[in-house]
Amino acid sequence: MEREPPHRPHGAEHPALDRVRREGRWWWLQARHARRIWRWALVVALAVFVLLVLLRKPLADWFWDEPQIEQLLAEGDRALASGRLSETDGGGARERYQAVLALDGDRLQARQGLARTGAAALQQARDRLQANDLDGSAQALALARELQVPQAEADSVSRQLQARRSTGAGIGALLAQARNAFAAGRLDDGDSSALPLFQRILSLQPDNLPALEGREDALSDLLQQARTLAGRGELAAAAVMLQRARQFDAGHADLPASQEALAQAVDQRLRQAQRALQRQQLEAAATGFQAVLAVAADDPSAQRGREQTLRSVVSRSQTLADDFQFEAAQRDAALAAQLGASQATRQQLAQRLQRAQQAQQALQQPAVGNAQRERQLREHLRRIERAERAGQWISPPGHNAFDALREAQSLAPRDTRVKAAAARLLPASRRCFDDNLRQNRVQAAGACLQAWQTLSPTAVGLPSARLRLAQRWLAIGSERLGNGDLAFAAHAAEQARLLQPDLAELPAFEERLRRAGGRAD
């Protein structure tokens, strides 16, 4: 029996037919996908074409102009660096930057380059003005204005240029005046003299050769005069001339020799002053030391000589007052003040002179005979001895040894007994000062110091004693200031300044006092 073929689904009767059907569908799908790609490609191509049509000019400018702009900018920078700010052939910095702006009006580098070119033109105008190139300065200024530099700066250069042009015509007249003053020997005695006139010309025209030569000759003569003055001992005048010469020309060839001549004159004057001091020619010594210090204020030898002279003058003034030579004593007191005597020393001399005058008047009193004067003197001497035994050197007032001694001195200053009492009281006054200072009794120590100074105005230990007392016043004043006692602190500052005006600690203490609300004058 013949087998019936297997049942096949509809549409799949044959494998070959199925394959043909599958392959036909794949081709159709591929064709459909290809058509879709071509449609999108056509759309993209059309869009690119439209963009090219619309942006053809910007793209063309970018492709063609950008390299040219970069080249122009580089050329402008090189021209600016080399100082070629503007050229008629277009090769200057201004022309290059302006060409860039013609291609691209928004190019920041070109605008910045023009600003730098304007600033360089303004500086060039200043430089040419300084070099007296007035026309070149005017051209550079015009370029700077065209490039719109700040108006205030341009106007300033313009005013200077105008002033230089207005004075340029007068340079010849100034030069003639300077030469006439030089010929008349008026080197430096006012604005119409030779050196100031030459200097005025050179301030306008630094390279003016006739003015430079004239100043050189005038300075040579001025320095010769300075050397002559130094040789005559007029040190201060010579020093002033040297200083003026340096102001006109610090590099003048004659300056070193002139300075050496002044230094030698200073040394010679110092030696003369020292010899005068040794011979007790105090006026000459004072004049010599002061002359040296006027030129060389820090010279230690001159400073020591002045101090020694001051002590000798003070001692001589004291002796002259005791001898009733009042005019000479006053002259020495004035000389001591010129030599820098302290306020305390000047007060001592005035008091000594006053007591001597009172003593002379007492001697001239007709009502007091020799016997009565002798009785009074003996009473004063007994009071001195009683006060010495009781240790009452400075107190109580009117009944102490020092007050009794002053009354005895006013009555008989040259009596040997009075001088012996003064000699006894001198070491006692020193001990009194040291004892009271040790106990911080500054008021009492000051009274003892005054007695010491009166008995021996030129004592070697007095400067140190005044310094110690001034420092102690400040120490106690500082403590009291911390406790709020402003009145005592102000009094302490006043006493310290009276004793030692140049005390190093005083300014700081006075500043503290001012901040605290106290007085410090």
Side-chain angles (χ1 to χ4, degrees):
M1 182 175 179
E2 187 176 346
R3 182 178 295 180
E4 185 178 354
H7 176 74
R8 296 179 181 272
H10 180 72
E13 293 83 357
H14 198 277
L17 181 59
D18 291 339
R19 186 172 62 252
V20 171
R21 288 175 179 171
R22 287 195 301 272
E23 291 175 357
R25 183 177 178 83
W26 176 84
W27 180 85
W28 179 81
L29 289 173
Q30 290 291 100
R32 183 180 178 186
H33 181 65
R35 286 195 299 274
R36 186 179 299 168
I37 292 174
W38 278 105
R39 283 199 299 272
W40 281 109
L42 182 60
V43 171
V44 171
L46 182 60
V48 171
F49 176 75
V50 171
L51 288 173
L52 289 174
V53 171
L54 294 177
L55 301 177
R56 64 184 183 276
K57 187 177 186 311
L59 288 174
D61 291 344
W62 187 84
F63 278 112
W64 293 103
D65 291 345
E66 188 63 24
Q68 185 180 5
I69 288 175
E70 293 297 332
Q71 181 179 357
L72 289 172
L73 287 173
E75 291 174 354
D77 292 342
R78 287 194 295 271
L80 179 59
S82 63
R84 294 182 292 108
L85 306 183
S86 181
E87 302 288 344
T88 56
D89 59 0
R94 178 180 66 167
E95 290 77 20
R96 291 307 186 188
Y97 293 132
Q98 288 177 341
V100 172
L101 292 176
L103 296 173
D104 183 359
D106 296 328
R107 186 59 63 109
L108 180 60
Q109 297 95 319
R111 296 188 182 280
Q112 293 175 341
L114 284 176
R116 295 198 308 272
T117 305
L122 189 62
Q123 184 59 44
Q124 192 176 86
R126 295 191 185 101
D127 295 340
R128 290 179 177 177
L129 181 61
Q130 187 66 25
N132 206 36
D133 182 5
L134 304 187
D135 293 337
S137 178
Q139 294 174 1
L141 180 60
L143 175 60
R145 288 191 184 277
E146 291 175 7
L147 294 175
Q148 299 180 349
V149 298
Q151 184 174 355
E153 297 182 15
D155 289 346
S156 175
V157 176
S158 178
R159 286 192 296 271
Q160 296 177 36
L161 178 61
Q162 185 176 3
R164 183 69 62 84
R165 280 177 167 166
S166 63
T167 57
I171 293 294
L174 286 176
L175 189 58
Q177 293 177 22
R179 286 171 171 168
N180 290 336
F182 175 63
R186 294 186 297 106
L187 303 178
D188 186 26
D189 55 356
D191 293 339
S192 62
S193 54
L195 282 168
L197 288 172
F198 284 131
Q199 197 71 11
R200 181 179 172 186
I201 296 170
L202 292 172
S203 66
L204 299 174
Q205 297 181 358
D207 297 328
N208 189 300
L209 185 58
L212 287 171
E213 293 175 346
R215 185 183 67 176
E216 181 79 9
D217 295 340
L219 283 176
S220 295
D221 287 1
L222 184 69
L223 291 173
Q224 178 59 48
Q225 292 181 9
R227 293 193 292 272
T228 302
L229 289 174
R232 293 205 302 256
E234 300 179 31
L235 306 182
V240 169
M241 283 191 175
L242 284 177
Q243 182 60 29
R244 287 289 292 170
R246 288 192 197 92
Q247 293 174 359
F248 287 117
D249 182 9
H252 194 277
D254 292 343
L255 263 175
S258 301
Q259 185 64 48
E260 178 63 24
L262 177 61
Q264 292 177 358
V266 168
D267 290 341
Q268 181 180 1
R269 190 65 180 277
L270 179 60
R271 291 192 296 270
Q272 291 173 351
Q274 290 170 339
R275 288 194 296 269
L277 178 59
Q278 292 172 357
R279 298 168 184 168
Q280 287 299 297
Q281 299 170 348
L282 301 184
E283 289 81 4
T287 302
F289 289 127
Q290 292 289 78
V292 172
L293 290 172
V295 177
D298 298 330
D299 189 286
S301 299
Q303 291 175 344
R304 287 193 300 271
R306 181 178 61 184
E307 291 300 322
Q308 294 169 0
T309 304
L310 173 59
R311 288 195 293 270
S312 298
V313 168
V314 170
S315 178
R316 190 174 70 177
S317 177
Q318 183 77 43
T319 302
L320 290 171
D322 292 344
D323 292 339
F324 301 156
Q325 300 182 36
F326 302 131
E327 292 184 2
Q330 288 176 337
R331 286 196 299 270
D332 275 352
L335 181 57
Q338 294 176 8
L339 289 170
S342 66
Q343 181 66 27
T345 300
R346 295 198 294 270
Q347 289 178 352
Q348 293 164 21
L349 292 177
Q351 292 170 359
R352 190 60 174 265
L353 182 61
Q354 183 180 9
R355 286 197 302 271
Q357 290 171 338
Q358 292 173 352
Q360 186 187 50
Q361 292 174 0
L363 291 174
Q364 293 173 351
Q365 290 294 333
V368 180
N370 291 333
Q372 184 177 356
R373 185 180 300 107
E374 179 64 23
R375 286 194 299 271
Q376 291 177 352
L377 179 59
R378 288 179 180 177
E379 177 60 26
H380 293 325
L381 293 173
R382 283 193 294 269
R383 286 174 52 201
I384 294 173
E385 292 174 356
R386 287 195 299 268
E388 284 184 278
R389 287 194 298 270
Q392 297 173 337
W393 307 110
I394 59 172
S395 63
H399 299 282
N400 58 71
F402 182 63
D403 286 344
L405 175 63
R406 283 190 298 183
E407 293 180 14
Q409 287 177 330
S410 65
L411 190 62
R414 289 178 287 184
D415 190 282
T416 56
R417 292 167 294 177
V418 174
K419 292 182 178 180
R424 290 198 313 272
L425 290 182
L426 178 59
S429 65
R430 291 198 296 264
R431 288 194 302 271
C432 173
F433 170 78
D434 291 333
D435 293 341
N436 284 286
L437 188 63
R438 192 179 305 111
Q439 300 173 32
N440 285 335
R441 299 171 58 188
V442 287
Q443 293 280 10
C448 296
L449 179 63
Q450 183 179 8
W452 181 7
Q453 291 176 152
T454 303
L455 293 170
S456 181
T458 59
V460 176
L462 282 176
S464 174
R466 284 194 293 268
L467 175 61
R468 289 163 54 203
L469 182 57
Q471 291 174 335
R472 189 64 56 87
W473 268 111
L474 284 192
I476 298 175
S478 179
E479 180 181 355
R480 299 284 284 273
L481 180 60
N483 295 330
D485 191 349
L486 300 183
F488 183 89
H491 180 64
E494 181 179 357
Q495 291 298 316
R497 179 166 291 281
L498 182 63
L499 288 163
Q500 199 76 21
D502 57 349
L503 184 62
E505 302 92 327
L506 186 57
F509 179 77
E510 290 178 334
E511 180 60 28
R512 283 184 56 204
L513 186 59
R514 277 191 291 269
R515 289 200 301 267
R519 295 178 60 190
D521 42 43

